[in-house]
């Protein structure tokens, strides 16, 4: 297998201005250059990826400044998991997308999600380069808003949605429904009606009971293209709650017990359904290639049996997503180019051995595109020292990030906006909610003089934060601010008390 070095997204040579108005760009000096990452690596942020080609004149980013094809890494190791545009400023501030994070916090308040638009776009392009000729569907469940829909469409990706809500938002934002795939282990009648009304490209069948229900809903004289979600019996993923390739969870149809084969026969008997391929999803936070290769082998075996028993050749194979990213410096990430090379080689070799044409490949990255592009900002509300423990409480918590409580995810918060010479101490960053499990970052190192009013920034916060946010304690969900080329703009406004009260219609 050959190794290729991926080019880096740009830093921006701009100047720092102190106090922007909402319409004023905020800019900062770039970090110094350091060597590129290892070949083929899809890093979690500081090693982010860009396109090999210049942007066209009408590209949304070209109106700010051109994007060169190289970008240095962050100048210190802790920035390795930050967006590639992250640059240290004076007074221990940090800029992302050319915008000082302290000024984002001052302008938009906290908690707040910050999303680096260029990082999202570069990661979309990296997937297209790593999987030439394949369909890349962005997994909307990671994070979705109207701007994200536009970015994904403009970068040439499809979209993977899981509900009528995600679907309607995408289509109403101009996304072509033919490039959308609908998932879900228990699709509601409203989900299916919306998919058929809007004309989604594919519906992934997840249970045998869904087959007749979907077929009955398809208008007479038309056919809906479908995939069968197969459970290949492969355990992969960073936590038991996010492993979906085994028979002991709710998704898909088992290969081992014959459920998948039975569903295939049932779909083929429905004239209003057109079976075009197989689908599988192994789990999330997978950082090695091996599970995907095992899945390819098992699915090729099923494709061969389908050809033998039914005399048909299915033209598509969707391997889902689950590509792991690092939440702390030094954690492993999935080698994207190696993944693409080895999957294509395994698929070509296996199909040749089985006498099958190579199906069109599809993948569904979500976290690996959105996660490393995001940062969340918090204000410290209190510092409490109890025995041997120090608790740093912030103005957010499990309502804007339930993932530490759900999966034990470990984050790496950083103090920004204040210079200190205090030695670091072990502390636990906790939220403001009435739960002992409301812990955002356990046993992390922060300066020993951490105090109320300080600003903390947490990287790798672009996926499964706002999309999983709740209304717990009625604190309101944070806003999303896009930063790029020294400009900051609001994408999703903060949920207000008025928003919450308007939904409560009274006695």
């Amino acid at each position: 297998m050959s190794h290729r070095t991926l080019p880096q997204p740009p830093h921006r040579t701009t100047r720092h201005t102190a106090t922007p108005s909402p319409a004023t760009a905020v800019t900062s000096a770039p970090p110094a250059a350091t060597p590129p990452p290892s070949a083929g690596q899809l890093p979690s942020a500081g090693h982010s990826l860009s396109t090999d080609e210049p942007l066209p004149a009408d590209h949304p980013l070209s109106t700010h400044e051109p994007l060169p094809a190289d970008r240095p890494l962050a100048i210190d190791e802790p920035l390795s998991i930050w967006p590639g545009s992250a640059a240290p400023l004076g007074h221990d501030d940090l800029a992302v997308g050319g915008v000082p994070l302290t000024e984002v916090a001052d302008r938009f308040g906290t908690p707040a999600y910050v999303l680096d638009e260029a990082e999202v776009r570069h990661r979309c392009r990296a997937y297209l380069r790593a999987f030439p000729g394949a369909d890349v569907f962005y997994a909307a469940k990671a994070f979705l808003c109207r701007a994200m829909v536009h970015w994904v469409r403009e970068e040439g990706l499809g979209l993977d949605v899981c509900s009528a809500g995600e679907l309607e938002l995408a289509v109403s934002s101009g996304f072509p429904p033919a490039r959308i795939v609908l998932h879900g282990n228990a699709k509601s009648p409203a989900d299916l009606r919306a998919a058929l009304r809007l004309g989604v490209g594919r519906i992934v069948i997840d249970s045998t009971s869904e087959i007749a229900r979907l077929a009955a809903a398809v208008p007479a004289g038309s056919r809906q293209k479908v995939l069968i979600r197969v459970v290949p019996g492969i355990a992969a993923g960073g936590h038991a709650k996010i492993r979906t390739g085994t028979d002991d969870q709710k998704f898909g149809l088992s290969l081992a017990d014959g459920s998948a084969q039975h569903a295939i026969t049932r779909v083929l008997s429905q004239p209003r359904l057109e079976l075009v391929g197989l689908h599988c999803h192994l789990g999330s936070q997978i950082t090695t290639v091996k599970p995907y290769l095992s899945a390819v082998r098992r699915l090729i075996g099923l494709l061969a049996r389908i050809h033998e028993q039914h005399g048909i050749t299915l033209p598509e194979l969707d391997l889902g997503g689950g590509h792991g990213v690092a939440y702390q410096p030094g954690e492993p990430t999935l080698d994207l180019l190696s993944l693409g090379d080895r999957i294509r080689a395994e698929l070509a070799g296996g199909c040749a051995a089985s006498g099958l044409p190579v199906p069109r490949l599809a993948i569904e990255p979500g976290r690996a595109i959105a996660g490393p592009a995001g940062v969340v900002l918090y204000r410290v509300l209190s510092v409490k020292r109890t025995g041997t423990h120090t608790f740093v409480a912030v103005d957010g918590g499990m309502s804007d990030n339930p993932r530490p409580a759900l999966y034990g995810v470990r984050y790496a918060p950083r103090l920004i906006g204040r210079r200190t010479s205090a030695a670091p101490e072990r502390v636990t960053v906790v939220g403001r909610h009435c739960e002992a499990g409301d812990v955002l970052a356990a046993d992390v190192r922060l300066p020993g003089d951490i105090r109320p009013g300080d600003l903390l920034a947490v990287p790798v916060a672009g996926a499964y934060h706002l999309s999983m946010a709740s209304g717990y304690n009625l604190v309101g969900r944070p806003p999303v601010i896009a930063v790029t080329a020294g400009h900051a703009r609001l994408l999703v406004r903060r949920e207000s008390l008025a928003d919450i009260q308007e939904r409560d219609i009274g006695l």
Side-chain angles (χ1 to χ4, degrees), residues 108-201:
F108 296 99
T110 58
Y113 304 112
V114 181
L115 196 62
D116 187 335
E117 177 183 346
E119 186 79 34
V120 170
R121 291 181 180 274
H122 295 318
R123 288 176 172 271
C124 290
R125 298 169 199 171
Y127 268 98
L128 294 177
R129 290 197 308 276
F131 291 88
D135 291 314
V136 181
F137 296 97
Y138 170 68
K141 61 182 179 289
F143 169 72
L144 194 67
C145 68
R146 294 190 186 280
M148 193 71 168
V149 170
H150 283 288
W151 300 344
V152 168
R153 187 193 73 230
E154 289 165 352
E155 295 303 333
L157 274 61
L159 201 61
D160 150 29
V161 302
C162 295
S163 70
E166 292 177 350
L167 175 59
E168 295 274 7
L169 178 66
V171 175
S172 67
S173 301
F175 203 92
R179 289 171 52 199
I180 296 178
V181 176
L182 175 67
H183 279 279
N185 70 296
K187 302 175 193 69
S188 71
D191 294 335
L192 294 179
R193 284 195 302 269
L196 295 173
R197 172 174 52 84
L198 295 172
V200 299

Side-chain angles (χ1 to χ4, degrees), residues 209-374:
S209 62
E210 189 173 270
I211 297 170
R213 189 155 53 93
L214 174 58
V218 175
S222 61
R223 301 185 79 196
Q224 173 63 51
K225 292 181 178 180
V226 299
L227 305 170
I228 296 288
R229 179 162 176 171
V230 177
V231 178
I234 297 169
H239 191 282
K241 291 182 180 179
I242 52 175
R243 294 175 189 151
T244 58
T246 57
D247 290 328
D248 57 353
Q249 45 72 49
K250 68 178 185 176
F251 293 102
L253 293 145
S254 173
L255 187 59
D257 70 5
S259 298
Q261 296 91 316
H262 175 64
I264 289 164
T265 301
R266 297 248 331 246
V267 169
L268 292 174
S269 70
Q270 296 286 347
R272 296 185 186 182
L273 301 182
E274 180 184 356
L275 181 62
V276 295
L278 303 178
H279 177 282
C280 81
H281 183 79
L282 301 179
S284 296
Q285 274 298 88
I286 302 170
T287 56
T288 62
V289 174
K290 184 178 178 180
Y292 294 101
L293 302 182
S294 298
V296 168
R297 287 191 288 272
R298 295 187 186 187
L299 291 172
I300 288 174
L302 180 55
L303 288 171
R305 287 195 293 276
I306 293 169
H307 180 71
E308 194 176 299
Q309 294 171 9
H310 302 285
I312 62 170
T313 301
L314 297 183
E316 299 178 15
L317 180 62
D318 189 329
L319 292 179
H323 307 155
V325 303
Y327 285 90
Q328 297 193 78
E331 288 184 347
T333 62
L334 187 61
D335 186 330
L336 179 58
L337 286 181
S338 177
L339 178 70
D341 287 342
R342 295 180 67 185
I343 283 178
R344 290 197 307 275
E346 189 71 39
L347 194 55
C351 287
S354 299
L356 296 172
V358 176
R360 183 173 179 85
L361 182 65
I363 56 168
E364 299 169 353
R367 178 200 320 267
I369 288 176

Side-chain angles (χ1 to χ4, degrees), residues 10 12 55-67 116-122 125 151 154-155 483-485 487 489:
R12 292 172 171 83
L55 289 171
D58 60 350
H59 193 283
L61 295 185
S62 66
T63 58
H64 300 300
E65 61 180 277
L67 293 176
D116 187 335
E117 177 183 346
E119 186 79 34
V120 170
R121 291 181 180 274
H122 295 318
R125 298 169 199 171
W151 300 344
E154 289 165 352
E155 295 303 333
V483 293
T484 192
H487 296 261
R489 70 186 189 280

Side-chain angles (χ1 to χ4, degrees), residues 19-26 99 103-104 106-108 481-482 486-490:
T19 309
S21 68
T24 302
V26 182
V99 182
E103 297 194 16
V104 173
D106 289 342
R107 177 177 162 190
F108 296 99
I481 297 97
H487 296 261
R489 70 186 189 280
L490 188 66

Side-chain angles (χ1 to χ4, degrees), residues 9-52:
H11 66 273
R12 292 172 171 83
T13 306
T14 52
R15 69 185 187 279
H16 170 51
T17 56
T19 309
S21 68
T24 302
V26 182
T27 55
S28 61
T34 55
S38 58
Q41 186 74 17
L42 177 62
S44 274
H47 303 168
S48 300
L49 310 164
S50 90
T51 182
D52 294 323

Side-chain angles (χ1 to χ4, degrees), residues 105 109-111 376-385 390-397 413-416 418 427-432 440 444 446-458:
T110 58
V376 62
L377 303 176
Y378 297 111
R379 286 284 179 194
V380 175
L381 298 179
S382 69
V383 178
K384 182 186 297 182
R385 290 175 170 83
T390 299
F391 296 98
V392 177
V394 299
D395 55 359
R414 179 178 179 130
L415 173 67
I416 60 171
R418 178 171 70 84
V427 305
T428 295
V429 179
V430 299
R432 59 174 293 181
L440 290 172
V444 295
L446 287 173
D449 64 348
I450 189 87
R451 57 187 184 234
D454 279 342
L455 186 63
L456 296 184
V458 185

